[in-house]
Amino acid sequence: MPIARAVVVGAGIGGLTAAVALHRRGWQVTVCERAPEPPVTGAGIGLAPNALRALEAIGVDAAYAVGSTVPAAMELRRSDGRRLSGTRTADLAARYGVPPIAVPRPAFTAALAAALPPGTLRYGTAVTAVDDPEGRPVVRTEAGPDLPADLVVAADGIHSPLRRAYFPAHPGLHYIGETAWRVLLDAPDLRVPAMSETWGRGERFGVTPLSDGRMYLYATAVVPAGTRSADPRAELRRRFGTWHDPIPALLDRIDRLEPADVLQNDLYDLAAPLPRLHHGRIAWLGDAAHAMAPNLGQGGCQAIEDAAVLAHLLPAEPDGAQDGTPDGSPAGIPAALAAYTAARRARTDAVRLRARRVGRLGAVRHPLAVAVRDLVVGAVPDRLALRGADDLFSGFRLPG
């Protein structure tokens, strides 16, 4: 009997994780990615305990693939350096069974791609549409050929054309009022041991040591959408050059990079939840399904959870033998996708809303409101703050 076929639209973290998970469940997988080649630059990603457990569920050891260097602590500070709150990584590991790790996105996506059979990934293959007549999806590509499929995974990102096509009444994206700069930096001599985020007045600056020894730096500011400066390096120095150490030293290193090495993106989340995360035999995951602000570091983590749950719910080794369908298409797919929506929609929307609320705290600009925020955040005992992450870090479960 023919093996059932899945086409994954998008080769980001969610799409590649789904491809690996489906391949290991016995599916024939094709990944279509419009970019001409894999990314070689970009940002970092934090893999929280929930994401690491989801990866483990599909047989992926992230620490083995991309390194396991773990920051000593996670800290929140004011712009003058005063500590507001923090958690030792050892305490996170004791509570959640595994410590978080932070890795370069290009290295992580390369590790996922390496777990797929040769020929699975098709770079430079733009998907123009997915037709789903009578439960027989056909993926249309710009250069051809068309790809018939038993399942389509829409992992086509925050601006998902497939989301717009199948949910035309949905309000789409919501600008959260901030822009973000991101950069990867070599600075081993600075010896920054902790992952930290610093809050000012409508501005934030984050420092994350990565598994390969580099630093992932990010910064945000409350500005109108589309705001750009001629040189992002100078803009970062103007905004953050007087903040606490080691931020000025890190900005010195950024000055040595090319302006194009500093990525800038306005921040959006989904204005409202999708009515469901599937349509026929199409399933949405990651930013395409529930784009969220990066304030909790859960965007990529929730995409990984999506992929693990989706593959778990779909029929394993779907060669048609279990249901006798003449084309080898497993009859259980529609029911599995309905179960996927039931398992994921409420959790991902709760995380989306929580990320938006945390972002509003970080974006406060009035001096009095900033003082009150810092006083309240600083008054919460570290043990209670750690407990507050339980629903995020312990919330991943495989259904059934």
Side-chain angles (χ1 to χ4, degrees):
M1 292 293 241
I3 295 176
R5 296 161 295 186
V7 175
V8 178
V9 183
I13 287 172
L16 288 174
T17 304
V20 172
L22 289 169
H23 165 65
R24 292 181 174 178
R25 292 279 283 176
W27 289 69
Q28 177 182 307
V29 183
T30 300
V31 181
C32 297
E33 169 56 50
R34 71 167 53 246
E37 58 189 15
V40 294
T41 60
I45 178 172
L47 297 176
N50 55 305
L52 292 171
R53 283 198 301 275
L55 289 167
E56 182 182 13
I58 63 171
V60 173
D61 185 339
Y64 175 80
V66 291
S68 58
T69 300
V70 177
M74 301 169 65
E75 298 176 337
L76 180 63
R77 296 185 177 273
R78 301 192 324 185
S79 60
D80 61 4
R82 178 182 168 186
R83 183 182 181 276
L84 294 175
S85 67
T87 303
R88 295 189 312 146
T89 305
D91 294 334
L92 284 167
R95 188 170 187 86
Y96 302 113
V98 61
I101 62 174
V103 302
R105 280 180 181 263
F108 185 48
T109 54
L112 292 171
L116 294 169
T120 298
L121 271 71
R122 300 186 183 183
Y123 287 98
T125 303
V127 170
T128 57
V130 175
D131 298 332
D132 190 21
E134 300 178 358
R136 297 288 185 264
V138 177
V139 177
R140 312 289 184 190
T141 62
E142 198 169 72
D146 295 339
L147 302 171
D150 299 297
L151 168 72
V152 176
V153 178
D156 52 342
I158 189 170
H159 298 288
S160 174
L162 292 177
R163 182 182 65 227
R164 293 197 301 268
Y166 278 91
F167 300 99
H170 188 271
L173 296 175
H174 157 259
Y175 179 53
I176 66 174
E178 296 177 271
T179 195
W181 298 267
R182 297 172 294 157
V183 64
L184 296 178
L185 189 68
D186 284 307
D189 56 305
L190 294 181
R191 299 180 181 178
V192 178
M195 180 187 307
S196 67
E197 185 168 287
T198 301
W199 286 3
R201 293 173 53 187
E203 297 173 328
R204 289 175 285 169
F205 196 100
V207 181
T208 302
L210 297 179
S211 59
D212 65 354
R214 290 185 292 174
M215 297 286 173
Y216 167 44
L217 311 181
Y218 63 90
T220 70
V222 177
V223 296
T227 301
R228 296 292 184 272
S229 60
D231 187 342
R233 302 168 304 177
E235 181 69 8
L236 289 171
R237 180 165 290 285
R238 181 183 74 81
R239 289 181 177 274
F240 304 102
T242 61
W243 285 26
H244 68 82
D245 292 332
I247 293 174
L250 292 167
L251 292 173
D252 286 341
R253 304 303 173 87
I254 291 177
D255 282 343
R256 303 174 193 176
L257 302 177
E258 295 297 323
D261 292 329
V262 182
L263 306 180
Q264 183 179 358
N265 300 97
D266 294 339
L267 298 179
Y268 292 84
D269 65 6
L270 214 58
L274 291 179
R276 59 191 178 281
L277 304 187
H278 73 287
H279 182 286
R281 293 188 179 220
I282 307 171
W284 280 261
L285 60 72
D287 283 345
H290 43 69
M292 60 186 65
N295 304 309
L296 298 174
Q298 280 288 312
C301 295
Q302 291 301 309
I304 291 167
E305 285 193 18
D306 289 343
V309 170
L310 178 63
H312 173 76
L313 290 170
L314 286 162
E317 300 179 358
D319 61 2
Q322 74 275 22
D323 58 65
T325 54
D327 65 349
S329 175
I333 291 177
L337 297 190
Y340 167 70
T341 285
R344 296 298 300 158
R345 185 175 176 274
R347 172 163 168 78
T348 55
D349 194 55
V351 178
R352 178 185 68 87
L353 292 174
R354 181 170 173 178
R356 184 183 288 185
R357 289 193 297 269
V358 170
R360 287 172 179 162
L361 276 179
V364 166
R365 288 187 287 179
H366 191 281
L368 180 59
V370 169
V372 172
R373 176 199 67 190
D374 292 350
L375 181 65
V376 171
V377 172
V380 176
D382 289 348
R383 67 181 184 280
L384 292 183
L386 175 60
R387 224 176 276 170
D390 284 356
D391 59 335
L392 293 178
F393 296 163
S394 296
F396 169 72
R397 298 285 188 278
L398 289 177

